[in-house]
Amino acid sequence: MVTYLWLKEIRAQVYTWKGTLWLVITSLLFSFTSYLLLTDKELSLLDQTELLWLLSKVIISVAFLIVAIDSSSIINSEFEKETAESLFLSPISIKDFVFGKLLASLTLWFAIFMVATPYIVVTSLGTHLALPFLGYVLFLGTVGISGTVILFFGVSFLYRSAKNTLTTSLIVLLAFSVPALFSSALKNNGLAQMFGRINPLENIFACLDNVLVDYRLSLSENWRYLWPLFIFCVAAFVFLIFSLNKFQKQGVVKSV
Amino acid sequence: MYKHNLYHNWVKILIYIAVIVLLLDINGFNVQSQQHTQSNPLVLEILSADKLSGTAGDYVNVKAQIKNTSQQPITDVTTYLSLVDTQNKLPVDLEDWSAEKGLYIGTIEPDQILPLNWKIHFVKAGTYSLIVVAIRAGSEIPQVSGTISFHVNPKHNLNPGQVLPVALGMPIMLILIFSIVFYKRQTKMRF
C-alpha cells in the first residue's frame, strides 16, 4: 500500500510537463551557479573548497524550498480535493498514508540530488573532495529534509489547508535561513548561538563548511552538527504524532 | 706700502675666516651623521625578495631580518609590512591579504639579528612594492628596509572544458528526456 501511494504521487508529479519543469529550472540554477562560481573573476580568487561550500548551500537551499512546498500540499490536497474520506475508507492505515507521502516528498529530494551530482563532481575536480561532498550532501540533505517534511506533515494534519500550511512552512523555512544573513558579531550573540544550535539548516551548512573547507571528513569530527539534526527529526516526529492523534480524534471532517 | 700691507692683512683675515667656516661645517656634518646613525641603529632587510612573486590565491612567506647596529640594547620595537599597489598607486589594506599584524620586539641586544616572518595571501593580481618598517618608542624617524617589487599573476579558474559541458548539457538532457516521455505518452493516447 505504501508503494502504491508513493507511485501514485510520483506519477501525478511527472504526468504533465508542468510537473517536471521545476527540475529543469533547478538544473539551470545549478548550471548558472557552478559556472559563475568557477569563472567569475572576483569569486575565482576564493579557495576552490569555499566555492564547493557555496554550491552545496545552493543545492541544500533549493532542495529545502522545493520539498517544503511539496510537503505542504501533498497531504492537504487530499483534504481539499475531498479524496481523503474515500482514501481512509479503503484498507489503508494512517501510518502507510504518511509513509507513502513521506517517500514521495523524499523522491523529489533524490531527484534534485541526482541532477546536482554532475555539478558536484565537476566542481570538485582536483580537490579529492568529490566523494565526501556527495556523501555528506546526500546524508545531511536526507536527514534534514526528512525532519522538515515530517514537521510540515504535522502542520498539514493540524491545519488541513494547503494555503495556510504553505504560508507557515515558508515562514519556518525563512526563519531557518535568516541566521545565514547575520554578520559574525550577531552570530556571537547568545540568543543567536542558541537558535543556531537547534536550527537544522545552519547545522547542515556548518557541517558542510567543516567538511569542505576545513577537511574534517569523519563523522566523529562532525558529530556536534549531526546530533542537533537527529534531535530536530525526533522533535518533528513527536509533533507529527501529536497532530495525527488530534486528527484521528476529530476525524476527516474537522468539526468547527 | 701702507696700502699694500692693509690689502695683505685683509686677505689673511678672509683666509682665516674661510678656514674656520670650513672646519665648523665639517664638524657639523659629522655631528649630524653621528646623530642620524644614533637615531636609526636598526637595519632592516627583506630576505625572501626573489620568492615573493606568485598567483592570486597563493600564500607566501615574507622573510626579513632586523639588526641592532648600535652598542646599546634597544627596547620596544614594532615592525610591520607596508604594501603599495604600484599599478593603481594605492596603499593596500593588508587585512584583506590575511597578513599578520605588527611583530613586537621587546629587546634587541647590540649586534643581535632577529628574524621577522609574515604570511600573506595574494588576493589580487598586480604589481606591488613592499617594505618592512620598524618603529621604536622615543624615535621620531621610522627605520625602513629597501623596497621590494613583486608581481602577482591573475588566477583563472575558468575551465570551460570541465564545467561548460555539464552546465549546458544537464538542462538540455533533462528537456530531451521529458520531451521524449511526454511525446511517447501522447502518441500512446492517440492510438
PDB file of all heavy atoms in Angstrom, chain A residues 14-17 20 24 27-28 31 35 38-39 44-45 115 118-119 122 125, chain B residues 56 123 155 157-159 162-164 166-167 170-171 174-175 178 182 185 189:
ATOM      1  N   VAL A  14       4.883  13.568 -12.451  1.00  0.00           N
ATOM      2  CA  VAL A  14       5.518  13.571 -13.778  1.00  0.00           C
ATOM      3  C   VAL A  14       4.503  13.388 -14.916  1.00  0.00           C
ATOM      4  O   VAL A  14       4.901  13.181 -16.056  1.00  0.00           O
ATOM      5  CB  VAL A  14       6.627  12.474 -13.877  1.00  0.00           C
ATOM      6  CG1 VAL A  14       7.739  12.756 -12.913  1.00  0.00           C
ATOM      7  CG2 VAL A  14       6.051  11.094 -13.668  1.00  0.00           C
ATOM      8  N   TYR A  15       3.240  13.479 -14.599  1.00  0.00           N
ATOM      9  CA  TYR A  15       2.228  13.241 -15.632  1.00  0.00           C
ATOM     10  C   TYR A  15       2.239  14.335 -16.696  1.00  0.00           C
ATOM     11  O   TYR A  15       2.118  14.069 -17.889  1.00  0.00           O
ATOM     12  CB  TYR A  15       0.838  13.125 -14.997  1.00  0.00           C
ATOM     13  CG  TYR A  15      -0.194  12.581 -15.957  1.00  0.00           C
ATOM     14  CD1 TYR A  15      -0.192  11.231 -16.314  1.00  0.00           C
ATOM     15  CD2 TYR A  15      -1.147  13.409 -16.536  1.00  0.00           C
ATOM     16  CE1 TYR A  15      -1.104  10.723 -17.211  1.00  0.00           C
ATOM     17  CE2 TYR A  15      -2.074  12.925 -17.436  1.00  0.00           C
ATOM     18  CZ  TYR A  15      -2.051  11.574 -17.776  1.00  0.00           C
ATOM     19  OH  TYR A  15      -2.956  11.079 -18.659  1.00  0.00           O
ATOM     20  N   THR A  16       2.376  15.570 -16.280  1.00  0.00           N
ATOM     21  CA  THR A  16       2.406  16.667 -17.252  1.00  0.00           C
ATOM     22  C   THR A  16       3.783  17.333 -17.239  1.00  0.00           C
ATOM     23  O   THR A  16       4.534  17.187 -16.272  1.00  0.00           O
ATOM     24  CB  THR A  16       1.359  17.750 -16.906  1.00  0.00           C
ATOM     25  OG1 THR A  16       1.654  18.237 -15.594  1.00  0.00           O
ATOM     26  CG2 THR A  16      -0.048  17.202 -16.940  1.00  0.00           C
ATOM     27  N   TRP A  17       4.099  18.067 -18.298  1.00  0.00           N
ATOM     28  CA  TRP A  17       5.398  18.740 -18.370  1.00  0.00           C
ATOM     29  C   TRP A  17       5.523  19.816 -17.302  1.00  0.00           C
ATOM     30  O   TRP A  17       6.623  20.154 -16.871  1.00  0.00           O
ATOM     31  CB  TRP A  17       5.627  19.311 -19.773  1.00  0.00           C
ATOM     32  CG  TRP A  17       4.653  20.385 -20.184  1.00  0.00           C
ATOM     33  CD1 TRP A  17       3.480  20.199 -20.848  1.00  0.00           C
ATOM     34  CD2 TRP A  17       4.763  21.777 -19.940  1.00  0.00           C
ATOM     35  NE1 TRP A  17       2.849  21.384 -21.038  1.00  0.00           N
ATOM     36  CE2 TRP A  17       3.618  22.388 -20.493  1.00  0.00           C
ATOM     37  CE3 TRP A  17       5.707  22.595 -19.321  1.00  0.00           C
ATOM     38  CZ2 TRP A  17       3.397  23.760 -20.441  1.00  0.00           C
ATOM     39  CZ3 TRP A  17       5.492  23.955 -19.271  1.00  0.00           C
ATOM     40  CH2 TRP A  17       4.335  24.528 -19.822  1.00  0.00           C
ATOM     41  N   THR A  20       7.250  18.691 -14.165  1.00  0.00           N
ATOM     42  CA  THR A  20       8.693  18.392 -14.195  1.00  0.00           C
ATOM     43  C   THR A  20       9.538  19.617 -14.548  1.00  0.00           C
ATOM     44  O   THR A  20      10.762  19.552 -14.480  1.00  0.00           O
ATOM     45  CB  THR A  20       8.978  17.293 -15.225  1.00  0.00           C
ATOM     46  OG1 THR A  20       8.343  17.660 -16.455  1.00  0.00           O
ATOM     47  CG2 THR A  20       8.468  15.946 -14.768  1.00  0.00           C
ATOM     48  N   VAL A  24      13.944  21.102 -14.419  1.00  0.00           N
ATOM     49  CA  VAL A  24      14.765  21.739 -15.472  1.00  0.00           C
ATOM     50  C   VAL A  24      15.256  23.097 -14.969  1.00  0.00           C
ATOM     51  O   VAL A  24      16.436  23.448 -15.139  1.00  0.00           O
ATOM     52  CB  VAL A  24      13.946  21.902 -16.782  1.00  0.00           C
ATOM     53  CG1 VAL A  24      14.765  22.607 -17.844  1.00  0.00           C
ATOM     54  CG2 VAL A  24      13.485  20.543 -17.295  1.00  0.00           C
ATOM     55  N   SER A  27      18.042  22.603 -12.582  1.00  0.00           N
ATOM     56  CA  SER A  27      19.322  22.308 -13.244  1.00  0.00           C
ATOM     57  C   SER A  27      19.913  23.580 -13.860  1.00  0.00           C
ATOM     58  O   SER A  27      21.131  23.772 -13.853  1.00  0.00           O
ATOM     59  CB  SER A  27      19.159  21.214 -14.292  1.00  0.00           C
ATOM     60  OG  SER A  27      18.571  21.712 -15.447  1.00  0.00           O
ATOM     61  N   LEU A  28      19.031  24.460 -14.376  1.00  0.00           N
ATOM     62  CA  LEU A  28      19.529  25.731 -14.922  1.00  0.00           C
ATOM     63  C   LEU A  28      20.165  26.577 -13.814  1.00  0.00           C
ATOM     64  O   LEU A  28      21.195  27.224 -14.017  1.00  0.00           O
ATOM     65  CB  LEU A  28      18.377  26.508 -15.581  1.00  0.00           C
ATOM     66  CG  LEU A  28      17.960  26.044 -16.977  1.00  0.00           C
ATOM     67  CD1 LEU A  28      16.675  26.745 -17.401  1.00  0.00           C
ATOM     68  CD2 LEU A  28      19.062  26.334 -17.993  1.00  0.00           C
ATOM     69  N   SER A  31      23.451  25.123 -13.056  1.00  0.00           N
ATOM     70  CA  SER A  31      24.380  25.451 -14.153  1.00  0.00           C
ATOM     71  C   SER A  31      24.901  26.865 -13.981  1.00  0.00           C
ATOM     72  O   SER A  31      26.107  27.119 -14.046  1.00  0.00           O
ATOM     73  CB  SER A  31      23.658  25.378 -15.503  1.00  0.00           C
ATOM     74  OG  SER A  31      23.251  24.087 -15.771  1.00  0.00           O
ATOM     75  N   TYR A  35      28.784  27.601 -12.987  1.00  0.00           N
ATOM     76  CA  TYR A  35      29.569  28.307 -13.999  1.00  0.00           C
ATOM     77  C   TYR A  35      30.065  29.640 -13.447  1.00  0.00           C
ATOM     78  O   TYR A  35      31.221  30.031 -13.626  1.00  0.00           O
ATOM     79  CB  TYR A  35      28.743  28.525 -15.270  1.00  0.00           C
ATOM     80  CG  TYR A  35      29.583  29.019 -16.423  1.00  0.00           C
ATOM     81  CD1 TYR A  35      30.390  28.137 -17.136  1.00  0.00           C
ATOM     82  CD2 TYR A  35      29.598  30.358 -16.781  1.00  0.00           C
ATOM     83  CE1 TYR A  35      31.190  28.576 -18.171  1.00  0.00           C
ATOM     84  CE2 TYR A  35      30.395  30.811 -17.818  1.00  0.00           C
ATOM     85  CZ  TYR A  35      31.187  29.917 -18.510  1.00  0.00           C
ATOM     86  OH  TYR A  35      31.990  30.349 -19.529  1.00  0.00           O
ATOM     87  N   LEU A  38      32.901  29.207 -10.891  1.00  0.00           N
ATOM     88  CA  LEU A  38      34.197  28.797 -11.429  1.00  0.00           C
ATOM     89  C   LEU A  38      34.786  29.787 -12.428  1.00  0.00           C
ATOM     90  O   LEU A  38      35.955  29.679 -12.769  1.00  0.00           O
ATOM     91  CB  LEU A  38      34.087  27.418 -12.099  1.00  0.00           C
ATOM     92  CG  LEU A  38      33.839  26.251 -11.151  1.00  0.00           C
ATOM     93  CD1 LEU A  38      33.811  24.949 -11.919  1.00  0.00           C
ATOM     94  CD2 LEU A  38      34.896  26.171 -10.071  1.00  0.00           C
ATOM     95  N   THR A  39      34.008  30.726 -12.894  1.00  0.00           N
ATOM     96  CA  THR A  39      34.541  31.614 -13.927  1.00  0.00           C
ATOM     97  C   THR A  39      34.562  33.084 -13.526  1.00  0.00           C
ATOM     98  O   THR A  39      35.284  33.862 -14.123  1.00  0.00           O
ATOM     99  CB  THR A  39      33.722  31.502 -15.231  1.00  0.00           C
ATOM    100  OG1 THR A  39      32.368  31.809 -14.936  1.00  0.00           O
ATOM    101  CG2 THR A  39      33.809  30.113 -15.828  1.00  0.00           C
ATOM    102  N   SER A  44      36.631  33.797  -8.353  1.00  0.00           N
ATOM    103  CA  SER A  44      37.671  32.809  -8.629  1.00  0.00           C
ATOM    104  C   SER A  44      38.890  33.005  -7.736  1.00  0.00           C
ATOM    105  O   SER A  44      39.764  32.154  -7.680  1.00  0.00           O
ATOM    106  CB  SER A  44      38.073  32.852 -10.097  1.00  0.00           C
ATOM    107  OG  SER A  44      38.769  34.043 -10.356  1.00  0.00           O
ATOM    108  N   LEU A  45      38.955  34.130  -7.041  1.00  0.00           N
ATOM    109  CA  LEU A  45      40.062  34.350  -6.111  1.00  0.00           C
ATOM    110  C   LEU A  45      39.885  33.530  -4.839  1.00  0.00           C
ATOM    111  O   LEU A  45      40.823  33.303  -4.093  1.00  0.00           O
ATOM    112  CB  LEU A  45      40.163  35.836  -5.754  1.00  0.00           C
ATOM    113  CG  LEU A  45      40.500  36.761  -6.925  1.00  0.00           C
ATOM    114  CD1 LEU A  45      40.376  38.198  -6.517  1.00  0.00           C
ATOM    115  CD2 LEU A  45      41.884  36.479  -7.445  1.00  0.00           C
ATOM    116  N   VAL A 115      20.225  15.352 -10.068  1.00  0.00           N
ATOM    117  CA  VAL A 115      20.542  16.441 -11.003  1.00  0.00           C
ATOM    118  C   VAL A 115      21.811  17.163 -10.538  1.00  0.00           C
ATOM    119  O   VAL A 115      22.641  17.574 -11.359  1.00  0.00           O
ATOM    120  CB  VAL A 115      19.343  17.422 -11.095  1.00  0.00           C
ATOM    121  CG1 VAL A 115      19.721  18.697 -11.818  1.00  0.00           C
ATOM    122  CG2 VAL A 115      18.181  16.744 -11.825  1.00  0.00           C
ATOM    123  N   PRO A 118      26.262  15.664 -11.177  1.00  0.00           N
ATOM    124  CA  PRO A 118      27.321  16.043 -12.138  1.00  0.00           C
ATOM    125  C   PRO A 118      27.980  17.376 -11.789  1.00  0.00           C
ATOM    126  O   PRO A 118      29.181  17.540 -11.988  1.00  0.00           O
ATOM    127  CB  PRO A 118      26.565  16.159 -13.467  1.00  0.00           C
ATOM    128  CG  PRO A 118      25.294  15.450 -13.274  1.00  0.00           C
ATOM    129  CD  PRO A 118      24.967  15.494 -11.838  1.00  0.00           C
ATOM    130  N   TYR A 119      27.189  18.314 -11.254  1.00  0.00           N
ATOM    131  CA  TYR A 119      27.752  19.621 -10.885  1.00  0.00           C
ATOM    132  C   TYR A 119      28.738  19.463  -9.727  1.00  0.00           C
ATOM    133  O   TYR A 119      29.793  20.090  -9.707  1.00  0.00           O
ATOM    134  CB  TYR A 119      26.637  20.593 -10.476  1.00  0.00           C
ATOM    135  CG  TYR A 119      25.657  20.884 -11.586  1.00  0.00           C
ATOM    136  CD1 TYR A 119      24.460  20.187 -11.696  1.00  0.00           C
ATOM    137  CD2 TYR A 119      25.944  21.847 -12.547  1.00  0.00           C
ATOM    138  CE1 TYR A 119      23.568  20.440 -12.724  1.00  0.00           C
ATOM    139  CE2 TYR A 119      25.057  22.113 -13.577  1.00  0.00           C
ATOM    140  CZ  TYR A 119      23.872  21.395 -13.663  1.00  0.00           C
ATOM    141  OH  TYR A 119      23.005  21.654 -14.683  1.00  0.00           O
ATOM    142  N   VAL A 122      31.952  17.813 -11.118  1.00  0.00           N
ATOM    143  CA  VAL A 122      32.781  18.652 -11.993  1.00  0.00           C
ATOM    144  C   VAL A 122      33.427  19.811 -11.225  1.00  0.00           C
ATOM    145  O   VAL A 122      34.562  20.198 -11.508  1.00  0.00           O
ATOM    146  CB  VAL A 122      31.962  19.143 -13.215  1.00  0.00           C
ATOM    147  CG1 VAL A 122      31.099  20.340 -12.906  1.00  0.00           C
ATOM    148  CG2 VAL A 122      32.877  19.447 -14.381  1.00  0.00           C
ATOM    149  N   LEU A 125      36.585  18.598  -9.088  1.00  0.00           N
ATOM    150  CA  LEU A 125      37.769  18.038  -9.760  1.00  0.00           C
ATOM    151  C   LEU A 125      39.047  18.718  -9.280  1.00  0.00           C
ATOM    152  O   LEU A 125      39.128  19.943  -9.233  1.00  0.00           O
ATOM    153  CB  LEU A 125      37.640  18.206 -11.281  1.00  0.00           C
ATOM    154  CG  LEU A 125      36.676  17.247 -11.980  1.00  0.00           C
ATOM    155  CD1 LEU A 125      36.530  17.619 -13.455  1.00  0.00           C
ATOM    156  CD2 LEU A 125      37.126  15.803 -11.863  1.00  0.00           C
TER     157      LEU A 125
ATOM    158  N   ALA B  56      47.484  34.882  -7.700  1.00  0.00           N
ATOM    159  CA  ALA B  56      46.435  35.248  -6.739  1.00  0.00           C
ATOM    160  C   ALA B  56      45.870  33.988  -6.104  1.00  0.00           C
ATOM    161  O   ALA B  56      45.587  33.021  -6.798  1.00  0.00           O
ATOM    162  CB  ALA B  56      45.342  36.023  -7.449  1.00  0.00           C
ATOM    163  N   VAL B 123      45.875  38.276  -2.965  1.00  0.00           N
ATOM    164  CA  VAL B 123      44.442  38.364  -3.244  1.00  0.00           C
ATOM    165  C   VAL B 123      44.170  38.838  -4.666  1.00  0.00           C
ATOM    166  O   VAL B 123      43.330  38.288  -5.358  1.00  0.00           O
ATOM    167  CB  VAL B 123      43.763  39.294  -2.213  1.00  0.00           C
ATOM    168  CG1 VAL B 123      42.347  39.630  -2.614  1.00  0.00           C
ATOM    169  CG2 VAL B 123      43.760  38.638  -0.844  1.00  0.00           C
ATOM    170  N   LYS B 155      44.619  34.730 -11.246  1.00  0.00           N
ATOM    171  CA  LYS B 155      44.245  33.316 -11.165  1.00  0.00           C
ATOM    172  C   LYS B 155      42.979  33.120 -11.996  1.00  0.00           C
ATOM    173  O   LYS B 155      42.003  33.843 -11.802  1.00  0.00           O
ATOM    174  CB  LYS B 155      43.968  32.942  -9.712  1.00  0.00           C
ATOM    175  CG  LYS B 155      43.616  31.482  -9.512  1.00  0.00           C
ATOM    176  CD  LYS B 155      43.304  31.208  -8.068  1.00  0.00           C
ATOM    177  CE  LYS B 155      42.922  29.767  -7.852  1.00  0.00           C
ATOM    178  NZ  LYS B 155      42.573  29.497  -6.470  1.00  0.00           N
ATOM    179  N   ASN B 157      40.198  30.458 -12.736  1.00  0.00           N
ATOM    180  CA  ASN B 157      39.577  29.150 -12.515  1.00  0.00           C
ATOM    181  C   ASN B 157      38.752  28.731 -13.716  1.00  0.00           C
ATOM    182  O   ASN B 157      38.087  27.716 -13.690  1.00  0.00           O
ATOM    183  CB  ASN B 157      38.669  29.191 -11.286  1.00  0.00           C
ATOM    184  CG  ASN B 157      39.460  28.986 -10.027  1.00  0.00           C
ATOM    185  OD1 ASN B 157      40.535  28.420 -10.041  1.00  0.00           O
ATOM    186  ND2 ASN B 157      38.933  29.469  -8.925  1.00  0.00           N
ATOM    187  N   LEU B 158      38.766  29.584 -14.720  1.00  0.00           N
ATOM    188  CA  LEU B 158      37.948  29.312 -15.904  1.00  0.00           C
ATOM    189  C   LEU B 158      38.339  27.968 -16.504  1.00  0.00           C
ATOM    190  O   LEU B 158      39.459  27.786 -16.966  1.00  0.00           O
ATOM    191  CB  LEU B 158      38.159  30.427 -16.926  1.00  0.00           C
ATOM    192  CG  LEU B 158      37.259  30.424 -18.136  1.00  0.00           C
ATOM    193  CD1 LEU B 158      35.849  30.796 -17.738  1.00  0.00           C
ATOM    194  CD2 LEU B 158      37.756  31.394 -19.185  1.00  0.00           C
ATOM    195  N   ASN B 159      37.431  27.018 -16.420  1.00  0.00           N
ATOM    196  CA  ASN B 159      37.716  25.705 -17.001  1.00  0.00           C
ATOM    197  C   ASN B 159      36.514  25.261 -17.814  1.00  0.00           C
ATOM    198  O   ASN B 159      35.822  24.330 -17.433  1.00  0.00           O
ATOM    199  CB  ASN B 159      38.086  24.682 -15.919  1.00  0.00           C
ATOM    200  CG  ASN B 159      37.058  24.617 -14.823  1.00  0.00           C
ATOM    201  OD1 ASN B 159      36.109  25.389 -14.821  1.00  0.00           O
ATOM    202  ND2 ASN B 159      37.214  23.689 -13.912  1.00  0.00           N
ATOM    203  N   GLN B 162      35.656  21.725 -18.475  1.00  0.00           N
ATOM    204  CA  GLN B 162      35.058  20.857 -17.460  1.00  0.00           C
ATOM    205  C   GLN B 162      33.621  21.240 -17.139  1.00  0.00           C
ATOM    206  O   GLN B 162      32.725  20.425 -17.163  1.00  0.00           O
ATOM    207  CB  GLN B 162      35.886  20.927 -16.174  1.00  0.00           C
ATOM    208  CG  GLN B 162      37.248  20.286 -16.326  1.00  0.00           C
ATOM    209  CD  GLN B 162      38.125  20.548 -15.125  1.00  0.00           C
ATOM    210  OE1 GLN B 162      37.759  21.284 -14.218  1.00  0.00           O
ATOM    211  NE2 GLN B 162      39.288  19.960 -15.127  1.00  0.00           N
ATOM    212  N   VAL B 163      33.424  22.525 -16.818  1.00  0.00           N
ATOM    213  CA  VAL B 163      32.120  22.913 -16.290  1.00  0.00           C
ATOM    214  C   VAL B 163      31.088  23.195 -17.391  1.00  0.00           C
ATOM    215  O   VAL B 163      29.901  22.955 -17.201  1.00  0.00           O
ATOM    216  CB  VAL B 163      32.251  24.104 -15.307  1.00  0.00           C
ATOM    217  CG1 VAL B 163      32.546  25.401 -16.017  1.00  0.00           C
ATOM    218  CG2 VAL B 163      31.005  24.245 -14.451  1.00  0.00           C
ATOM    219  N   LEU B 164      31.557  23.677 -18.512  1.00  0.00           N
ATOM    220  CA  LEU B 164      30.603  24.084 -19.548  1.00  0.00           C
ATOM    221  C   LEU B 164      29.766  22.921 -20.099  1.00  0.00           C
ATOM    222  O   LEU B 164      28.549  23.071 -20.249  1.00  0.00           O
ATOM    223  CB  LEU B 164      31.337  24.830 -20.678  1.00  0.00           C
ATOM    224  CG  LEU B 164      30.492  25.792 -21.489  1.00  0.00           C
ATOM    225  CD1 LEU B 164      29.808  26.824 -20.615  1.00  0.00           C
ATOM    226  CD2 LEU B 164      31.326  26.475 -22.552  1.00  0.00           C
ATOM    227  N   VAL B 166      28.742  20.283 -18.615  1.00  0.00           N
ATOM    228  CA  VAL B 166      27.728  19.935 -17.604  1.00  0.00           C
ATOM    229  C   VAL B 166      26.700  21.048 -17.491  1.00  0.00           C
ATOM    230  O   VAL B 166      25.491  20.797 -17.452  1.00  0.00           O
ATOM    231  CB  VAL B 166      28.404  19.659 -16.238  1.00  0.00           C
ATOM    232  CG1 VAL B 166      27.363  19.430 -15.159  1.00  0.00           C
ATOM    233  CG2 VAL B 166      29.314  18.457 -16.338  1.00  0.00           C
ATOM    234  N   ALA B 167      27.199  22.304 -17.433  1.00  0.00           N
ATOM    235  CA  ALA B 167      26.291  23.444 -17.260  1.00  0.00           C
ATOM    236  C   ALA B 167      25.297  23.550 -18.412  1.00  0.00           C
ATOM    237  O   ALA B 167      24.134  23.912 -18.222  1.00  0.00           O
ATOM    238  CB  ALA B 167      27.093  24.730 -17.133  1.00  0.00           C
ATOM    239  N   MET B 170      23.317  19.374 -18.899  1.00  0.00           N
ATOM    240  CA  MET B 170      22.333  18.834 -17.952  1.00  0.00           C
ATOM    241  C   MET B 170      20.907  19.346 -18.241  1.00  0.00           C
ATOM    242  O   MET B 170      19.978  18.534 -18.356  1.00  0.00           O
ATOM    243  CB  MET B 170      22.776  19.190 -16.523  1.00  0.00           C
ATOM    244  CG  MET B 170      22.120  18.377 -15.464  1.00  0.00           C
ATOM    245  SD  MET B 170      22.571  16.635 -15.598  1.00  0.00           S
ATOM    246  CE  MET B 170      21.339  15.920 -14.554  1.00  0.00           C
ATOM    247  N   PRO B 171      20.702  20.675 -18.377  1.00  0.00           N
ATOM    248  CA  PRO B 171      19.332  21.126 -18.687  1.00  0.00           C
ATOM    249  C   PRO B 171      18.835  20.596 -20.028  1.00  0.00           C
ATOM    250  O   PRO B 171      17.677  20.184 -20.146  1.00  0.00           O
ATOM    251  CB  PRO B 171      19.447  22.654 -18.725  1.00  0.00           C
ATOM    252  CG  PRO B 171      20.704  22.979 -18.011  1.00  0.00           C
ATOM    253  CD  PRO B 171      21.605  21.821 -18.202  1.00  0.00           C
ATOM    254  N   LEU B 174      17.798  16.958 -19.630  1.00  0.00           N
ATOM    255  CA  LEU B 174      16.504  16.833 -18.927  1.00  0.00           C
ATOM    256  C   LEU B 174      15.344  17.192 -19.849  1.00  0.00           C
ATOM    257  O   LEU B 174      14.323  16.496 -19.877  1.00  0.00           O
ATOM    258  CB  LEU B 174      16.488  17.747 -17.691  1.00  0.00           C
ATOM    259  CG  LEU B 174      17.282  17.249 -16.482  1.00  0.00           C
ATOM    260  CD1 LEU B 174      17.303  18.314 -15.402  1.00  0.00           C
ATOM    261  CD2 LEU B 174      16.683  15.970 -15.919  1.00  0.00           C
ATOM    262  N   ILE B 175      15.528  18.285 -20.612  1.00  0.00           N
ATOM    263  CA  ILE B 175      14.464  18.701 -21.538  1.00  0.00           C
ATOM    264  C   ILE B 175      14.202  17.579 -22.560  1.00  0.00           C
ATOM    265  O   ILE B 175      13.054  17.243 -22.853  1.00  0.00           O
ATOM    266  CB  ILE B 175      14.837  20.035 -22.233  1.00  0.00           C
ATOM    267  CG1 ILE B 175      14.776  21.181 -21.217  1.00  0.00           C
ATOM    268  CG2 ILE B 175      13.903  20.330 -23.408  1.00  0.00           C
ATOM    269  CD1 ILE B 175      15.371  22.489 -21.689  1.00  0.00           C
ATOM    270  N   PHE B 178      12.376  14.527 -20.825  1.00  0.00           N
ATOM    271  CA  PHE B 178      10.957  14.804 -20.557  1.00  0.00           C
ATOM    272  C   PHE B 178      10.165  14.930 -21.854  1.00  0.00           C
ATOM    273  O   PHE B 178       9.019  14.497 -21.941  1.00  0.00           O
ATOM    274  CB  PHE B 178      10.800  16.061 -19.699  1.00  0.00           C
ATOM    275  CG  PHE B 178      11.324  15.881 -18.286  1.00  0.00           C
ATOM    276  CD1 PHE B 178      12.076  16.862 -17.660  1.00  0.00           C
ATOM    277  CD2 PHE B 178      11.057  14.715 -17.573  1.00  0.00           C
ATOM    278  CE1 PHE B 178      12.564  16.682 -16.369  1.00  0.00           C
ATOM    279  CE2 PHE B 178      11.540  14.529 -16.280  1.00  0.00           C
ATOM    280  CZ  PHE B 178      12.292  15.516 -15.679  1.00  0.00           C
ATOM    281  N   PHE B 182       6.933  12.626 -22.734  1.00  0.00           N
ATOM    282  CA  PHE B 182       5.605  13.194 -22.999  1.00  0.00           C
ATOM    283  C   PHE B 182       5.151  12.912 -24.433  1.00  0.00           C
ATOM    284  O   PHE B 182       3.972  12.689 -24.685  1.00  0.00           O
ATOM    285  CB  PHE B 182       5.583  14.700 -22.705  1.00  0.00           C
ATOM    286  CG  PHE B 182       5.824  14.996 -21.251  1.00  0.00           C
ATOM    287  CD1 PHE B 182       6.815  15.883 -20.852  1.00  0.00           C
ATOM    288  CD2 PHE B 182       5.080  14.355 -20.261  1.00  0.00           C
ATOM    289  CE1 PHE B 182       7.047  16.127 -19.510  1.00  0.00           C
ATOM    290  CE2 PHE B 182       5.310  14.603 -18.915  1.00  0.00           C
ATOM    291  CZ  PHE B 182       6.289  15.485 -18.542  1.00  0.00           C
ATOM    292  N   ARG B 185       3.941   9.381 -24.501  1.00  0.00           N
ATOM    293  CA  ARG B 185       2.646   9.266 -23.809  1.00  0.00           C
ATOM    294  C   ARG B 185       1.508   9.786 -24.697  1.00  0.00           C
ATOM    295  O   ARG B 185       0.464   9.181 -24.801  1.00  0.00           O
ATOM    296  CB  ARG B 185       2.704  10.065 -22.501  1.00  0.00           C
ATOM    297  CG  ARG B 185       1.465   9.858 -21.654  1.00  0.00           C
ATOM    298  CD  ARG B 185       1.559  10.611 -20.358  1.00  0.00           C
ATOM    299  NE  ARG B 185       2.573  10.061 -19.490  1.00  0.00           N
ATOM    300  CZ  ARG B 185       3.208  10.742 -18.544  1.00  0.00           C
ATOM    301  NH1 ARG B 185       2.968  12.031 -18.400  1.00  0.00           N
ATOM    302  NH2 ARG B 185       4.077  10.159 -17.771  1.00  0.00           N
ATOM    303  N   MET B 189      -1.679   7.788 -26.325  1.00  0.00           N
ATOM    304  CA  MET B 189      -3.063   8.203 -26.061  1.00  0.00           C
ATOM    305  C   MET B 189      -3.860   8.357 -27.351  1.00  0.00           C
ATOM    306  O   MET B 189      -5.056   8.135 -27.389  1.00  0.00           O
ATOM    307  CB  MET B 189      -3.083   9.521 -25.278  1.00  0.00           C
ATOM    308  CG  MET B 189      -2.763   9.314 -23.784  1.00  0.00           C
ATOM    309  SD  MET B 189      -2.428  10.852 -22.963  1.00  0.00           S
ATOM    310  CE  MET B 189      -4.063  11.524 -22.849  1.00  0.00           C
TER     311      MET B 189
END
